[in-house]
Amino acid sequence: MTDQHNVTPATDWWRDAVIYQVYPRSFADGNGDGMGDLAGIRSRLPYLRDLGVDAVWLSPFYASPQADGGYDVADYRAIDPMFGTLADAEAVIADAHDLGLRIIVDIVPNHCSDQHEWFRRAVAEGPGSVARERFHFRKGRGDNGELPPNDWESIFGGPAWTRLPDGEWYLHLFAPEQPDFNWEHPAVQDEFRSILRFWLDLGVDGFRVDVAHGLVKAAGLPDTGHGEQLKLLGHHVLPFFDQDGVHDVYRSWRTVLDEYEGDRIAVAEAWTPTAERTALYLRPDELHQAFNFHYLNTGWDAPDLRAVIDESLDAMRPVGAPATWVLSNHDVVRHRTRLGGSLDRARAAALLMLALPGSAYIYQGEELGLPEVTDLPDDVRQDPSFFRANGQDGLRDGCRVPLPWSGELPPYGFGDTGTWLPQPADWARLTVQAQTGDPDSTLELYRTALDLRRRHPGLGAGNTVEWLDAPDGVLAFRRPGGLVCTVNTTQAAVTLPEPPGRVLLSSRHLSAPSPLSTSSPLSTSSPLSTSRHQLNTAGDCVVAADTTVWWEE
Ligand code: GLC
């Protein structure tokens, strides 16, 4: 087991942590094969330390045929050779700890790869075998069993069942190469507790739990109602998601996590109908955090944002869990593009997120202001849902394009040779190298924001925000320690009756005096002292469109 080294021993480190998601294929390539890997990640850990994040979540690097970018795991205790070796993983953990960074790894318990030893055995041993009980095998419907056992559809499109030559069908909520485990089976439960221990023994600080809401299926695998979702408890329920039985799994996982020193955590990828349902995963004897997809799904609209912030905080308070905030990840359109395409807005959204109480997740490349790549040719796409009709949008490759680190041309320092997905020709100005030291750059905005968040712990603290009066389309709230965050979501400059204090940071830089302004522009020498707000003749304060300002009262 690696020591925690420079990682601060403080308990509850995760309550206000900023956690950076690394998608290993696309972060950095250490061996020049065009595919990101652990050696690449290791070499860039100092970058993440300098960025100022607290922890790094690594998407899967396990042995996998890569039918779904590694979310189809063939061996949960081995590293795919494409990414390196177990020794490389240990080195990443040790180096991260030396740098004061924590490491969270992805665990994929809902399904494995069809190349996993258990599934291969289940296929080989045939109907009725004990090996099949670890998965969901069923006979089909119809006179000759030619129809799937129920009407469930795969998230990636098409039926959630595939028939084997021996006539039986198996369940896969995702691709056919990802058979679902049967979580009623004690061997499955034991195996995953053992996998948790394997990685905890190696020193990881926690887990991101893939499809945390999917493990337990409704008894009897009932139809969803031929497309009409059942309505229960006032919200839409599917018989394969968010079943109450799933909480037994997390109670048992919590006892494992608590056996270990150092505040090890688990964060749920749980897509649920309401924030209240999400909070159930975060009761004190279950998991620590859950991604706030309700927030991610909210548009750039002040009343909607205020409502989702309140609902999230209200839902988490009774269970004592921190709220979390996330704008982008490897499954959704990058927020710069999703929120309308403007970099100003993406930067404003980031500063809003980082001023909210709780923990925030940053997806690799958002700190560079990367847009979604929307023009990937079909023949380079790898997202399995692209190849299956009517599933998820099938466009997840556009947020997975390898990062630009340096230089003028692809692969922009990602590695020595090409990249597994092509990078745009116009990313030279978005590289880490090009943005470093430029006070107007998005990278420096994130660095400054994260530095301020460390120096003003009030920014991430607590479980409430104090809303202040603000003009239409503007959010204004106070955080502990006399900090105020103002967000102008409108397309026009707004005038605040009085400046809420001294500017700490502004998401938008003033390049020319505002027409309303009679005062000279603020200094542009440092992002700390720049802002796009001005005092006008009446002494009012003007905040530009799509701008977030942090103030110190
Ligand atoms: C999660 C992952 C996604 C993957 C799916 C199946 O939603 O984030 O990338 O395709 O689970 O494992």
Side-chain angles (χ1 to χ4, degrees), residues 68 71 111 156 174 208 210-211 269 330-331 396 400:
D68 181 20
Y71 282 94
H111 46 262
F156 292 157
F174 293 87
R208 176 264 189 188
D210 189 63
V211 198
E269 187 216 16
H330 66 295
D331 290 330
R396 296 183 301 168
R400 299 175 179 180

Side-chain angles (χ1 to χ4, degrees), residues 85-434:
T85 63
L86 202 54
D88 292 328
E90 290 186 88
V92 167
I93 297 166
D95 281 13
H97 288 169
D98 278 345
L99 293 168
L101 295 166
R102 288 182 160 89
I103 293 284
I104 290 173
V105 295
D106 225 302
I107 188 157
V108 188
N110 180 67
H111 46 262
C112 57
S113 159
D114 62 353
Q115 298 307 306
H116 188 282
E117 187 200 334
W118 284 11
F119 191 75
R120 287 158 64 113
R121 229 193 290 158
V123 171
E125 294 180 12
S129 63
V130 173
R132 288 207 174 181
E133 291 171 8
R134 294 171 180 171
F135 299 91
H136 296 282
F137 279 90
R138 292 289 185 281
K139 295 197 187 334
R141 297 196 282 203
D143 291 343
N144 300 305
E146 72 280 10
L147 298 173
N150 67 22
D151 69 353
W152 297 4
E153 298 211 338
S154 155
I155 311 304
F156 292 157
W161 296 89
T162 289
R163 195 177 196 193
L164 293 179
D166 60 37
E168 277 201 343
W169 298 74
Y170 68 89
L171 175 69
H172 52 85
L173 291 184
F174 293 87
E177 296 88 351
Q178 295 168 294
D180 279 44
F181 282 115
N182 171 15
W183 270 88
E184 305 293 328
H185 200 295
V188 173
Q189 299 166 11
D190 289 348
E191 174 66 355
F192 272 89
R193 281 191 294 262
S194 160
I195 294 165
L196 292 180
R197 288 200 175 90
F198 178 86
W199 288 100
L200 289 166
D201 287 341
L202 278 185
V204 303
D205 300 284
F207 300 92
R208 176 264 189 188
V209 185
D210 189 63
V211 198
H213 55 308
L215 276 48
V216 172
K217 278 70 179 178
L221 311 186
D223 279 348
T224 61
H226 300 287
E228 280 177 45
Q229 295 173 0
L230 301 173
K231 270 201 164 175
L232 217 67
L233 301 171
H235 58 257
H236 294 284
V237 180
L238 290 166
F240 45 82
F241 279 157
D242 198 29
Q243 299 292 306
D244 289 337
V246 83
H247 297 288
D248 292 339
V249 175
Y250 301 126
R251 276 189 278 273
S252 105
W253 285 20
R254 182 60 180 258
T255 62
V256 174
L257 291 166
D258 287 350
E259 284 167 18
Y260 287 79
E261 288 182 352
D263 233 356
R264 318 286 179 110
I265 68 157
V267 49
E269 187 216 16
W271 295 82
T272 69
T274 61
E276 286 75 23
R277 292 293 300 180
T278 302
L280 296 179
Y281 294 75
L282 308 176
R283 288 174 284 193
D285 59 348
E286 296 195 38
L287 305 179
H288 299 74
Q289 294 185 346
F291 294 106
N292 190 344
F293 295 122
H294 305 289
Y295 184 71
L296 183 149
N297 281 329
T298 304
W300 189 240
D301 174 88
D304 288 355
L305 286 165
R306 180 169 168 163
V308 74
I309 291 166
D310 280 341
E311 283 162 19
S312 307
L313 293 168
D314 290 348
M316 296 305 137
R317 229 172 275 121
V319 292
T324 66
W325 314 101
V326 59
L327 292 167
S328 289
N329 66 35
H330 66 295
D331 290 330
V332 299
V333 172
R334 281 188 177 277
H335 76 263
R336 170 170 172 185
T337 304
R338 202 182 64 243
L339 294 177
S342 121
L343 181 58
D344 286 338
R345 189 175 290 179
R347 290 162 58 102
L351 286 201
L352 164 59
M353 172 173 85
L354 293 172
L356 293 172
S359 187
Y361 282 81
I362 294 175
Y363 175 52
Q364 64 179 36
E366 76 171 72
E367 79 279 18
L368 304 176
L370 293 190
E372 183 82 0
V373 178
T374 54
D375 58 356
L376 287 171
D378 289 355
D379 61 354
V380 303
R381 290 181 183 282
Q382 300 206 8
D383 181 356
S385 53
F386 178 72
F387 303 100
R388 292 168 67 87
N390 305 321
Q392 243 171 10
D393 58 20
L395 298 176
R396 296 183 301 168
D397 291 312
C399 62
R400 299 175 179 180
V401 170
L403 290 195
W405 290 93
S406 59
E408 298 297 320
L409 296 170
Y412 301 114
F414 173 73
D416 291 340
T417 51
T419 51
W420 69 279
L421 284 173
Q423 297 163 308
D426 61 355
W427 272 12
R429 294 179 58 200
L430 293 174
T431 65
V432 170
Q433 184 185 44

Side-chain angles (χ1 to χ4, degrees), residues 51 343-344 346-348 350-351 354 367 435 438-452 505-508 527 530 548 550:
L51 179 60
L343 181 58
D344 286 338
R347 290 162 58 102
L351 286 201
L354 293 172
E367 79 279 18
Q435 296 196 39
D438 173 358
D440 294 342
S441 73
T442 301
L443 176 57
E444 294 297 350
L445 180 77
Y446 271 76
R447 283 183 176 153
T448 305
L450 293 171
D451 181 53
L452 286 172
L505 184 62
S506 172
S507 66
R508 194 162 167 190
T530 61
T548 297
W550 290 359

